[in-house]
Amino acid sequence: MGEKVLALPRKRRLDLFRFAPSGRSLAIGAAVALLGAGLYALARQSGMFAVQSIQVEGATPALAAEVRQELHRYAGRSLVTVDAGAVAQNVDGLPAVRRSVVDRAFPHTLRIHVVPELPVAILRRGPDAWLVSARGRVIAPVGLRTHHTLPRIWLPAGTEIDVGALLGDEPGALAARSLAAFVGSGFPDRIAFVRALDGQITLSLRGGLEIRLGVPVDLRLKIAIARAILPTLALPALGGPDYLDISVPERPVAGRNPQPAG
């Protein structure tokens, strides 16, 4: 048998043009992009997605009306142009709002879910009064004879009060924040005032009994202990103790303040 010369296989060159889009595909893509841009511009400039309704959820009727008033300038504006983050920032700036979540509900609704501040006390500074939240934010000025069930927090005469701001006065802020633990316990209706002095929390109940909580730690445990003990105590006017000290929860102490010598 004779010899046969074999040809070496050649390395195939990669044809990049095979993967390139065709002119037809490029034309269709460009047309779609132009159409999208045109529709976006139309949505921005026309009333196609104009805000016709501002819905507020999670708020009282009064607060909902305040939110809608704050956002009235968005009425008629295209939802496409509305910055939800900026809207939430505006709403969160309202003193009675703790936080909010904004939803652009196409085609015509701006929806805001509000988490209100939780009022826990009335700040008193001389003849003036304000509603204060559980985190020490000043919500609004109020009349002296309103919100009778809320405890009072007395502040020094020179304390600066700015509606919408967090309390800068440490005793007042500490007293307000401590009251957050009492929400839902049934206690707030019984508290006449709360005082924070040298980091120690003291409550004065309607009827004259003073509850000394000490530093504001383990407050829910201390509340539970107080609720268990209080029904067993007579009022001070009926010979009962003047104070109940539960600053050390494991060792509650009830007693009477010494009377000054006459």
Side-chain angles (χ1 to χ4, degrees):
M1 174 182 291
E3 294 181 345
K4 184 178 181 180
V5 178
L6 301 177
L8 293 175
R10 294 184 178 182
K11 187 176 181 181
R12 297 182 62 183
R13 297 178 61 184
L14 181 62
D15 187 1
L16 296 178
F17 291 101
R18 292 177 55 198
F19 302 98
S22 66
R24 178 185 175 86
S25 299
L26 289 174
I28 292 175
V32 170
L34 287 173
L35 179 61
L39 289 175
Y40 179 76
L42 179 63
R44 285 178 59 92
Q45 302 301 325
S46 73
M48 181 184 301
F49 297 117
V51 176
Q52 297 178 4
S53 173
I54 297 177
Q55 295 182 359
V56 183
E57 303 171 348
T60 63
L63 180 55
E66 189 177 351
V67 171
R68 283 192 289 268
Q69 177 61 30
E70 175 67 19
L71 302 179
H72 76 281
R73 63 183 178 276
Y74 287 96
R77 186 181 299 185
S78 174
L79 276 175
V80 176
T81 67
V82 172
D83 183 343
V87 174
Q89 189 173 14
N90 289 336
V91 175
D92 293 351
L94 296 174
V97 175
R98 178 162 187 170
R99 64 179 180 273
S100 63
V101 178
V102 176
D103 175 32
R104 298 183 299 170
F106 287 90
H108 299 297
T109 301
L110 187 60
R111 184 178 297 122
I112 302 95
H113 181 79
V114 169
V115 178
E117 291 282 2
L118 178 64
V120 292
I122 300 296
L123 295 175
R124 288 294 309 274
R125 188 194 61 188
D128 301 317
W130 297 265
L131 195 63
V132 67
S133 79
R135 62 190 186 113
R137 190 181 190 187
V138 183
I139 297 174
V142 294
L144 296 182
R145 294 176 177 83
T146 61
H147 301 85
H148 300 290
T149 60
L150 291 180
R152 269 50 181 168
I153 299 174
W154 290 88
L155 301 176
T159 303
E160 291 289 335
I161 299 294
D162 295 315
V163 174
L166 295 172
L167 282 175
D169 175 69
E170 184 59 28
L174 183 60
R177 291 197 298 267
S178 297
L179 284 171
F182 290 81
V183 175
S185 69
F187 254 78
D189 292 352
R190 305 181 63 178
I191 303 172
F193 67 84
V194 58
R195 180 177 67 248
L197 183 62
D198 297 328
Q200 307 286 309
I201 304 297
T202 301
L203 311 176
S204 179
L205 301 188
R206 308 180 200 282
L209 179 66
E210 183 179 273
I211 299 182
R212 302 171 183 175
L213 298 173
V215 295
V217 297
D218 297 326
L219 287 178
R220 297 192 185 279
L221 171 61
K222 294 175 182 178
I223 293 168
I225 293 172
R227 292 185 66 180
I229 294 176
L230 284 177
T232 69
L233 303 178
L235 293 174
L238 300 177
D242 294 321
Y243 68 87
L244 172 62
D245 190 329
I246 49 178
S247 55
V248 181
E250 299 81 6
R251 194 182 62 195
V253 176
R256 296 186 65 86
N257 294 315
Q259 298 296 321

XYZ file of all heavy atoms in Angstrom, residues 195-248:
399
model
N -41.313 61.908 87.779
C -40.128 62.737 87.991
C -38.881 61.904 87.769
O -38.811 60.741 88.188
C -40.147 63.294 89.424
C -38.951 64.174 89.765
C -39.075 64.751 91.168
N -38.991 63.720 92.200
C -39.989 63.356 92.987
N -41.186 63.906 92.843
N -39.822 62.407 93.912
N -37.920 62.487 87.084
C -36.610 61.857 86.912
C -35.578 62.762 87.581
O -35.339 63.880 87.130
C -36.296 61.679 85.436
N -35.001 62.293 88.652
C -34.029 63.085 89.399
C -32.797 62.228 89.645
O -32.888 61.140 90.234
C -34.639 63.545 90.731
C -33.765 64.448 91.601
C -33.461 65.762 90.873
C -34.451 64.726 92.937
N -31.654 62.727 89.176
C -30.398 61.984 89.314
C -30.507 60.575 88.738
O -29.951 59.606 89.278
C -29.970 61.913 90.783
C -29.682 63.276 91.372
O -29.225 64.162 90.613
O -29.942 63.474 92.576
N -31.244 60.452 87.622
C -31.381 59.163 86.964
C -32.353 58.213 87.624
O -32.497 57.072 87.185
N -33.054 58.660 88.675
C -34.006 57.822 89.390
C -35.430 58.234 89.004
O -35.759 59.423 89.000
C -33.827 57.982 90.910
C -32.404 57.760 91.397
C -32.005 56.302 91.396
O -32.715 55.453 91.930
N -30.865 56.003 90.797
N -36.272 57.255 88.699
C -37.644 57.520 88.282
C -38.589 57.349 89.472
O -38.547 56.329 90.173
C -38.075 56.574 87.150
C -37.108 56.680 85.969
C -39.508 56.873 86.709
C -37.079 58.039 85.324
N -39.431 58.352 89.676
C -40.426 58.304 90.745
C -41.786 58.664 90.171
O -41.920 59.641 89.434
C -40.078 59.280 91.883
O -38.794 58.947 92.420
C -41.116 59.215 92.989
N -42.792 57.868 90.514
C -44.165 58.134 90.102
C -44.971 58.588 91.302
O -44.780 58.098 92.415
C -44.819 56.867 89.540
C -44.060 56.067 88.488
C -44.848 54.801 88.150
C -43.834 56.899 87.243
N -45.877 59.513 91.068
C -46.832 59.894 92.096
C -48.215 59.510 91.594
O -48.673 60.016 90.572
C -46.769 61.397 92.374
O -47.726 61.756 93.363
N -48.874 58.582 92.287
C -50.181 58.111 91.861
C -51.279 59.035 92.386
O -51.113 59.711 93.415
C -50.428 56.688 92.372
C -49.446 55.608 91.930
C -49.959 54.237 92.371
C -49.207 55.639 90.431
N -52.390 59.045 91.679
C -53.552 59.764 92.181
C -53.996 59.068 93.470
O -54.206 57.865 93.496
C -54.668 59.750 91.139
C -54.196 60.235 89.778
C -55.297 60.219 88.741
N -54.738 60.237 87.392
C -54.262 61.313 86.782
N -54.283 62.486 87.418
N -53.771 61.241 85.554
N -54.118 59.837 94.504
C -54.409 59.255 95.810
C -53.251 59.433 96.771
O -53.406 59.206 97.972
N -52.065 59.831 96.224
C -50.979 60.218 97.103
C -49.830 59.243 97.239
O -48.772 59.621 97.745
N -49.990 57.997 96.802
C -48.906 57.034 96.959
C -47.785 57.330 95.965
O -48.027 57.580 94.783
C -49.414 55.614 96.756
C -48.370 54.500 96.882
C -47.837 54.420 98.310
C -48.950 53.155 96.449
N -46.566 57.270 96.438
C -45.381 57.480 95.599
C -44.730 56.132 95.314
O -44.541 55.320 96.222
C -44.409 58.397 96.339
C -43.181 58.769 95.571
C -42.286 59.714 96.379
O -42.488 60.936 96.310
O -41.380 59.209 97.088
N -44.408 55.881 94.055
C -43.724 54.645 93.671
C -42.325 54.996 93.197
O -42.157 55.745 92.229
C -44.487 53.888 92.570
C -45.876 53.500 93.062
C -43.724 52.638 92.156
C -46.670 52.698 92.047
N -41.349 54.469 93.881
C -39.955 54.717 93.555
C -39.424 53.546 92.731
O -39.279 52.435 93.232
C -39.133 54.906 94.822
C -39.658 56.052 95.701
C -38.993 56.096 97.059
N -39.558 57.156 97.895
C -39.237 57.355 99.171
N -38.347 56.549 99.761
N -39.796 58.340 99.853
N -39.130 53.831 91.446
C -38.691 52.786 90.527
C -37.177 52.687 90.429
O -36.662 51.717 89.863
C -39.263 53.044 89.128
C -40.790 53.024 89.026
C -41.222 53.449 87.631
C -41.332 51.657 89.354
N -36.464 53.682 90.920
C -35.010 53.678 90.791
C -34.590 53.954 89.362
O -35.275 54.651 88.607
N -33.469 53.389 88.946
C -32.992 53.589 87.572
C -33.948 52.894 86.611
O -34.549 51.874 86.944
C -31.558 53.056 87.401
C -30.588 53.861 88.244
C -31.477 51.580 87.745
N -34.134 53.466 85.410
C -35.137 52.913 84.478
C -34.681 51.646 83.759
O -34.508 51.617 82.535
C -35.353 54.073 83.504
C -34.063 54.808 83.494
C -33.533 54.705 84.899
N -34.479 50.588 84.528
C -34.189 49.265 83.960
C -35.180 48.280 84.556
O -35.707 48.492 85.658
C -32.738 48.818 84.249
C -31.738 49.754 83.590
C -32.480 48.738 85.756
N -35.464 47.199 83.813
C -36.429 46.186 84.263
C -37.769 46.813 84.624
O -38.440 46.381 85.577
C -35.878 45.404 85.469
C -34.621 44.623 85.144
O -34.510 44.143 84.000
O -33.758 44.497 86.026
N -38.179 47.825 83.861
C -39.403 48.541 84.222
C -40.639 47.655 84.147
O -41.539 47.775 84.985
C -39.574 49.776 83.329
C -38.636 50.944 83.626
C -38.875 52.085 82.652
C -38.818 51.416 85.063
N -40.705 46.776 83.171
C -41.894 45.923 83.072
C -41.988 44.966 84.259
O -43.091 44.677 84.737
C -41.881 45.174 81.743
C -41.945 46.118 80.541
C -42.230 45.388 79.249
N -42.158 46.308 78.124
C -43.131 47.137 77.761
N -44.265 47.147 78.448
N -42.983 47.939 76.718
N -40.865 44.482 84.724
C -40.864 43.640 85.918
C -41.321 44.447 87.131
O -42.144 43.980 87.929
C -39.462 43.078 86.160
C -39.240 42.337 87.486
C -40.152 41.124 87.570
C -37.776 41.937 87.636
N -40.818 45.666 87.255
C -41.205 46.510 88.387
C -42.690 46.858 88.335
O -43.367 46.928 89.369
C -40.340 47.767 88.401
C -38.875 47.496 88.674
C -38.026 48.760 88.560
C -36.553 48.449 88.801
N -35.676 49.651 88.657
N -43.205 47.071 87.128
C -44.629 47.362 86.979
C -45.458 46.172 87.445
O -46.463 46.320 88.157
C -44.954 47.706 85.515
C -44.301 49.030 85.122
C -46.459 47.791 85.293
C -44.324 49.297 83.628
N -45.045 44.974 87.043
C -45.776 43.765 87.443
C -45.776 43.607 88.962
O -46.801 43.236 89.569
C -45.162 42.537 86.776
N -44.646 43.896 89.590
C -44.560 43.796 91.059
C -45.468 44.832 91.702
O -46.208 44.532 92.659
C -43.098 43.977 91.511
C -42.246 42.799 91.033
C -43.025 44.112 93.026
C -40.758 42.993 91.260
N -45.453 46.052 91.196
C -46.301 47.106 91.756
C -47.774 46.749 91.623
O -48.567 46.949 92.554
C -46.010 48.431 91.058
N -48.167 46.210 90.466
C -49.571 45.856 90.265
C -50.005 44.753 91.236
O -51.164 44.703 91.658
C -49.790 45.392 88.830
C -49.625 46.496 87.802
C -49.982 46.013 86.422
N -51.415 45.676 86.329
C -51.992 45.222 85.230
N -51.275 45.013 84.137
N -53.279 44.953 85.222
N -49.092 43.864 91.583
C -49.431 42.796 92.526
C -49.547 43.312 93.956
O -50.364 42.814 94.743
C -48.378 41.688 92.446
N -48.744 44.323 94.288
C -48.706 44.809 95.669
C -49.777 45.859 95.948
O -50.379 45.886 97.033
C -47.315 45.371 95.993
C -46.274 44.244 95.980
C -47.295 46.088 97.343
C -44.850 44.725 96.200
N -50.055 46.729 94.977
C -50.937 47.871 95.214
C -52.299 47.499 95.804
O -52.783 48.191 96.712
C -51.118 48.671 93.927
C -49.933 49.561 93.539
C -50.196 50.249 92.202
C -49.674 50.602 94.615
N -52.956 46.439 95.341
C -54.271 46.133 95.922
C -54.228 45.800 97.412
O -55.270 45.835 98.082
C -54.734 44.910 95.110
C -53.992 45.014 93.815
C -52.656 45.562 94.199
N -53.056 45.483 97.938
C -52.943 45.124 99.350
C -52.667 46.338 100.232
O -52.642 46.193 101.464
C -51.800 44.104 99.550
O -50.531 44.745 99.310
C -51.953 42.928 98.594
N -52.461 47.516 99.624
C -52.086 48.708 100.381
C -53.262 49.666 100.518
O -53.991 49.912 99.549
C -50.923 49.436 99.697
C -49.636 48.623 99.459
C -48.605 49.484 98.739
C -49.078 48.092 100.769
N -53.432 50.203 101.711
C -54.424 51.262 101.917
C -53.872 52.585 101.413
O -52.648 52.759 101.293
C -54.769 51.370 103.403
N -54.763 53.501 101.071
C -54.331 54.822 100.633
C -53.645 55.552 101.780
O -53.962 55.322 102.964
C -55.524 55.636 100.138
C -56.199 55.133 98.858
C -57.454 55.946 98.577
C -55.228 55.227 97.695
N -52.710 56.460 101.475
C -52.051 57.223 102.538
C -53.032 57.942 103.449
O -52.824 58.011 104.680
C -51.171 58.206 101.757
C -50.886 57.516 100.477
C -52.127 56.753 100.161
N -54.120 58.474 102.888
C -55.099 59.198 103.707
C -55.818 58.273 104.678
O -56.407 58.738 105.666
C -56.124 59.888 102.794
N -55.777 56.981 104.418
C -56.446 56.007 105.291
C -55.442 55.255 106.157
O -55.745 54.192 106.698
C -57.256 55.025 104.456
C -58.367 55.644 103.591
C -59.053 54.578 102.756
C -59.371 56.372 104.488
N -54.249 55.806 106.278
C -53.237 55.193 107.127
C -52.273 54.283 106.402
O -51.425 53.642 107.037
N -52.403 54.185 105.087
C -51.502 53.348 104.321
C -50.142 54.010 104.132
O -49.922 55.156 104.552
N -49.220 53.331 103.465
C -47.869 53.879 103.272
C -47.887 55.068 102.312
O -48.774 55.209 101.470
C -47.091 52.706 102.680
C -48.129 51.870 102.008
C -49.354 51.994 102.857
N -46.876 55.922 102.472
C -46.701 57.067 101.573
C -45.963 56.661 100.305
O -46.117 57.296 99.264
C -45.902 58.183 102.259
C -46.645 58.785 103.431
O -47.869 58.954 103.311
O -46.001 59.071 104.458
N -45.132 55.627 100.419
C -44.322 55.251 99.252
C -44.187 53.738 99.162
O -44.307 53.009 100.155
C -42.937 55.902 99.319
C -42.047 55.378 100.417
C -41.240 54.251 100.220
C -41.990 56.014 101.663
C -40.430 53.771 101.235
C -41.184 55.541 102.675
C -40.409 54.409 102.453
O -39.605 53.924 103.458
N -43.945 53.301 97.945
C -43.607 51.906 97.660
C -42.312 51.944 96.859
O -42.276 52.465 95.750
C -44.714 51.223 96.861
C -44.410 49.823 96.325
C -44.154 48.847 97.476
C -45.544 49.314 95.439
N -41.261 51.405 97.429
C -39.938 51.422 96.794
C -39.677 50.052 96.173
O -39.528 49.054 96.880
C -38.865 51.748 97.837
C -37.498 52.020 97.204
O -37.214 51.433 96.139
O -36.727 52.822 97.756
N -39.645 50.019 94.845
C -39.333 48.763 94.149
C -38.107 48.956 93.261
O -37.977 48.333 92.203
C -40.533 48.251 93.327
C -41.126 49.356 92.457
C -41.590 47.647 94.213
C -42.266 48.885 91.590
N -37.222 49.858 93.690
C -35.986 50.059 92.931
C -35.153 48.790 92.904
O -34.396 48.549 91.961
C -35.179 51.221 93.537
O -34.932 50.997 94.916
N -35.295 47.953 93.942
C -34.718 46.607 93.955
C -35.891 45.636 93.885
O -36.567 45.391 94.897
C -33.883 46.354 95.225
C -33.281 44.948 95.190
C -32.783 47.399 95.356
